[in-house]
C-alpha cells in the first residue's frame, strides 16, 4: 500500500505515542513509503495511512500464524462483541473525525484512537499473545458459511 499522504510520520507517531503510558518499551522505524513500524520486544505494529486519511494498524504475518493482512479491526472483532458495539463506543476516549478527506488532524486522531484501542483491548498482544488469531479465523469461517 503506497502512502500517498505525508501526514503519517515517525515524528507524529512519536508525539501521539508519548501521550500514553505503554507497558513495554518500543522503537519507531520508518517503513519506507508504506508507514511506520512500532517495534515492541515481542510484537510489531505497522501503522499505515489510507488515501482517505484513515489510519490502519496491521500485524506481521510472522505473528499471525502466517495470515496476511490482519489488522487491529480484526482483533477488535474478537475482543469487543457485536452487542457491545451497538450500545456504546468500543473504547472510552475515542475521537470522532468523520472528514472524508485526509488531513494532519485526521491522521493524529486515527493514531490516538489506535493507541486507545490497543491499550484497552490488545495490551496482551503487545506482550506477543496472538491467541486471538485462531478465534478470528474461526469467526471468519463461520460467517462465510452463513
Amino acid at each position: 500500500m503506497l502512502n500517498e499522504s505525508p501526514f503519517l510520520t515517525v515524528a507524529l507517531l512519536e508525539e501521539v505515542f508519548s501521550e500514553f503510558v505503554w507497558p513495554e518499551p518500543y522503537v519507531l522505524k520508518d517503513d519506507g513509503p508504506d508507514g511506520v513500524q512500532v517495534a515492541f520486544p515481542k510484537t510489531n505494529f505497522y501503522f499505515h495511512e489510507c488515501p482517505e486519511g484513515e489510519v490502519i494498524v496491521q500485524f506481521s504475518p510472522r505473528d499471525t500464524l502466517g495470515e496476511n493482512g490482519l489488522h487491529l479491526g480484526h482483533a477488535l472483532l474478537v475482543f469487543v462483541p457485536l452487542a457491545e458495539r451497538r450500545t456504546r463506543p468500543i473504547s472510552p476516549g475515542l475521537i470522532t473525525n468523520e472528514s472524508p478527506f485526509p488531513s494532519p488532524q485526521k491522521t493524529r486522531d486515527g493514531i490516538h484512537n489506535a493507541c486507545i484501542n490497543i491499550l484497552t483491548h490488545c495490551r496482551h498482544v503487545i506482550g506477543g499473545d496472538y491467541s486471538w488469531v485462531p478465534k478470528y479465523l474461526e469467526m471468519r469461517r463461520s460467517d462465510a458459511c452463513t
Side-chain angles (χ1 to χ4, degrees):
M1 171 166 55
L2 182 62
N3 185 10
E4 296 177 7
S5 175
F7 304 125
L8 180 64
T9 63
V10 171
L12 179 58
L13 211 66
E14 179 59 44
E15 186 179 321
V16 177
F17 261 64
S18 71
E19 297 170 6
F20 298 92
V21 176
W22 295 92
E24 299 283 340
Y26 61 86
V27 175
L28 302 178
K29 301 176 184 176
D30 193 335
D31 197 23
D34 293 336
V36 179
Q37 175 187 6
V38 181
F40 287 96
K42 295 184 179 179
T43 196
N44 296 291
F45 296 103
Y46 297 89
F47 281 69
H48 302 276
E49 186 177 10
C50 297
E52 304 81 29
E54 300 295 326
V55 173
I56 305 292
V57 180
Q58 290 187 304
F59 301 105
S60 170
R62 256 189 330 264
D63 297 327
T64 58
L65 308 173
E67 286 293 318
N68 270 325
L70 293 185
H71 55 75
L72 183 57
H74 295 125
L76 293 174
L77 287 172
V78 173
F79 300 131
V80 184
L82 188 56
E84 288 181 28
R85 293 168 182 260
R86 291 181 177 151
T87 59
R88 60 183 170 87
I90 64 170
S91 302
L94 295 179
I95 298 170
T96 301
N97 186 329
E98 297 180 12
S99 170
F101 304 107
S103 71
Q105 189 61 50
K106 186 171 182 175
T107 301
R108 175 183 296 283
D109 293 346
I111 296 168
H112 171 90
N113 288 348
C115 291
I116 295 251
N117 283 326
I118 290 168
L119 288 169
T120 301
H121 302 288
C122 300
R123 198 173 276 268
H124 58 289
V125 176
I126 294 172
D129 180 355
Y130 280 85
S131 59
W132 65 270
V133 174
K135 294 173 188 172
Y136 168 74
L137 295 174
E138 181 57 35
M139 287 171 60
R140 186 169 71 185
R141 276 191 291 277
S142 296
D143 288 346
C145 294
T146 58

